[in-house]
Amino acid sequence: GSWLAGFEAYGGVIKSESSLTPSAISPEGSDVRAINFFELGPNVGYAYTIVVRNHFFLTASGSISMDIGYSAYKNYNTTVRAFGVSPDVALRLFAGYNSNTWAVSAAYIMNQTTLTGTRTLEAAVNSGNYRINVVHRFKPGKKAKKILKVIE
């Protein structure tokens, strides 16, 4: 396994024609229609890979961060701004087969970005994806080697 250390930055705009918060749980006057946000900060984590029979692998990694962030929660009439520190989490799982000429893998990636909020307004952005990769490796010809040498 390996310890991980890095830096991350997230930014975005979330908009809706209707309220982003359900009216049953929304405090009076917090009819949020848009959120603008930006976060950045260091992260740390750990990754571990298990290899079976030199070709099959299973990798898992996780990281946490403490980001400094700015969020603006907007409704029709007002904007509530928040600045502060918020934690984020990222998890990744990979499994597959790898050889000299072929590789097949599946991956699941999940991120939770907690936005800076107030006592009555807070939000988290959850994102992720699933991937399946099928790779065939080939040896480049003379022309391709010349082009790749420039990139190298």
Side-chain angles (χ1 to χ4, degrees):
S2 298
W3 289 101
L4 308 171
F7 194 83
E8 65 184 23
Y10 294 103
V13 177
I14 303 167
K15 291 183 178 181
S16 176
E17 291 180 9
S18 62
S19 179
L20 289 169
T21 54
S23 59
I25 63 167
S26 180
E28 191 67 34
S30 68
D31 189 21
V32 176
R33 306 285 174 157
I35 304 171
N36 296 356
F37 67 93
F38 184 77
E39 294 191 353
L40 57 96
N43 62 19
V44 295
Y46 190 76
Y48 192 81
T49 300
I50 298 170
V51 178
V52 178
R53 294 190 194 174
N54 294 329
H55 295 289
F56 297 94
F57 66 91
L58 178 63
T59 299
S61 72
S63 62
I64 57 172
S65 68
M66 288 301 282
D67 294 345
I68 295 174
Y70 166 81
S71 299
Y73 298 83
K74 300 176 182 183
N75 66 16
Y76 287 119
N77 303 320
T78 61
T79 299
V80 176
R81 292 176 176 81
F83 183 82
V85 177
S86 60
D88 295 341
V89 177
L91 301 172
R92 298 166 192 87
L93 298 171
F94 303 90
Y97 171 83
N98 194 16
S99 73
N100 290 335
T101 55
W102 285 96
V104 178
S105 65
Y108 169 70
I109 300 170
M110 185 282 301
N111 287 317
Q112 181 181 36
T113 304
T114 306
L115 305 182
T116 304
T118 67
R119 279 188 226 165
T120 58
L121 292 172
E122 58 183 32
V125 177
N126 294 304
S127 63
N129 64 53
Y130 302 95
R131 295 181 191 172
I132 296 178
N133 300 306
V134 178
V135 177
H136 177 70
R137 295 181 183 93
F138 58 92
K139 294 187 183 216
K142 289 181 182 181
K143 277 187 175 181
K145 281 184 182 180
K146 274 187 174 181
I147 295 169
L148 293 172
K149 189 165 186 135
V150 172
I151 297 170
E152 224 176 49

